[in-house]
Amino acid sequence: MGEEASRVVMITGGSRGIGRATAYAFAEEGARLVLAHYDPDETAAEETLAVLKSRGIAAESHRVDVSSYPVVTALLNDILDRFGRIDVLVNNAGITRDKILVRMSEEEWDAVIQVNLKSVFNCTQAVLKPMLKQRSGCIVSLSSVVAERGNFGQGNYAASKAGVLGFTRSVAREVASRAIRVNAVAPGFIETDMTAVLPEKVKESFIEQIPLGRMGHPEDVANAVYWLCSDKAAYLTGQVIHVNGGMYM
Ligand SMILES: NC(=O)c1ccc[n+]([C@@H]2O[C@H](COP(=O)([O-])OP(=O)(O)OC[C@H]3O[C@@H](n4cnc5c(N)ncnc54)[C@H](O)[C@@H]3O)[C@@H](O)[C@H]2O)c1
């Protein structure tokens, strides 16, 4: 299948932030986009779809909880029935529930592991069956700089994002012989709703740790995700690309 024509691309957390920027990057090649999100309402998803429509892109959005195995299975079955294939999966949905460990509740631990790590298992397993048959496919999962260096108040989040890296490397080994590539992108400190909630002082102290001297834009991350799913990255699998302005080297 010609890469330019119509790859079927699924992006979780595609309503806003990094997922939205990634959808716009794939829109440039005319991909058929399936976006999933779990926002409280459809406002951001509708904005994203409107922009895609104005660019002539066939896109659809589903409000689904990707941490639920049966929900993901049903969605992927539906996509495969209608499109007959899946070429790219971007595991981007993510949440934070920050708390120092002695104060962290079991619910805060479980929620972050479920959404950030279990969803990656759910979606990856669901797309692998058709990809193995096709003998092609590309999977990119969003990790974080925090997976490598840890972060005060983010024991749950760091564990989930480090889990993504181990998962990526293991699955990459399992499916490489079928020409399926599995990689991760680890962003640093990116300007999205996720970081907008941080107090100004915390933001300033992060920016001081970034050699390039600024927060990243969602597009900085989206470009790396897109590149990993292109033929230019045909010889990369099991890798993690750090997009962090030099925050971690
Ligand atoms: N923003 C950063 O600084 C940063 C840094 C490192 C890693 N990341 C990671 O990049 C990814 C995107 O982050 P962002 O900043 O764009 O976040 P965001 O908060 O702007 O958007 C998160 C997206 O995930 C979706 N989502 C959340 N829970 C879901 C669920 N259960 N099912 C389906 N969708 C769900 C939301 O609906 C939304 O579309 C996340 O995995 C995040 O952990 C972000």
Side-chain angles (χ1 to χ4, degrees):
M1 160 167 288
E3 185 174 303
E4 303 310 312
S6 53
R7 289 196 290 182
V8 178
V9 177
M10 173 161 168
I11 304 172
T12 70
S15 61
R16 52 199 167 89
I18 293 168
R20 171 189 273 175
T22 305
Y24 294 165
F26 279 98
E28 297 282 312
E29 70 166 43
R32 287 174 284 174
L33 291 168
V34 179
L35 310 179
H37 76 91
Y38 207 46
D39 294 346
D41 61 47
E42 296 287 355
T43 313
E46 279 169 9
E47 272 174 36
T48 307
L49 286 182
V51 170
L52 290 167
K53 197 175 171 197
S54 74
R55 296 180 189 175
I57 292 302
E60 59 187 53
S61 169
H62 303 264
R63 186 176 178 277
V64 288
D65 179 2
V66 290
S67 71
S68 159
Y69 190 86
V71 163
V72 168
T73 307
L75 176 61
L76 260 298
N77 283 342
D78 173 50
I79 292 167
L80 288 167
D81 280 349
R82 289 183 294 116
F83 294 96
R85 62 183 297 117
I86 178 106
D87 299 287
V88 173
L89 167 68
V90 181
N91 284 312
N92 166 79
I95 58 168
T96 53
R97 294 285 183 274
D98 297 354
K99 206 64 80 62
I100 57 168
L101 196 68
V102 290
R103 300 227 180 97
M104 189 179 290
S105 68
E106 186 184 359
E107 287 72 26
E108 286 161 340
W109 172 269
D110 287 345
V112 168
I113 299 297
Q114 282 285 121
V115 176
N116 296 5
L117 187 55
K118 172 88 183 300
S119 74
V120 175
F121 160 73
N122 292 343
C123 296
T124 304
Q125 195 186 55
V127 300
L128 269 184
K129 283 172 199 156
M131 284 182 177
L132 286 165
K133 271 196 206 146
Q134 289 164 203
R135 292 180 174 266
S136 70
C138 236
I139 299 166
V140 175
S141 302
L142 273 292
S143 177
S144 167
V145 66
V146 164
E148 304 280 2
R149 40 172 273 174
N151 197 23
F152 189 95
Q154 288 201 308
N156 49 1
Y157 185 79
S160 71
K161 295 299 185 180
V164 165
L165 297 184
F167 178 85
T168 296
R169 293 173 179 132
S170 302
V171 179
R173 288 182 188 276
E174 292 178 15
V175 299
S177 65
R178 299 285 182 103
I180 301 163
R181 298 186 296 104
V182 188
N183 291 292
V185 169
F189 188 43
I190 312 298
E191 223 162 357
T192 67
D193 293 347
M194 187 175 271
T195 49
V197 294
L198 296 172
E200 238 7 84
K201 273 207 162 150
V202 174
K203 285 192 196 173
E204 280 163 22
S205 79
F206 272 123
I207 292 169
E208 276 167 22
Q209 300 168 46
I210 303 173
L212 286 179
R214 66 164 174 90
M215 289 177 76
H217 306 304
E219 295 74 23
D220 293 323
V221 181
N223 287 338
V225 174
Y226 184 74
W227 178 78
L228 275 172
C229 298
S230 75
D231 287 344
K232 310 255 186 233
Y235 200 51
L236 274 85
T237 198
Q239 303 304 308
V240 47
I241 307 282
H242 296 274
V243 183
N244 59 28
M247 192 180 183
Y248 169 83
M249 305 182 183

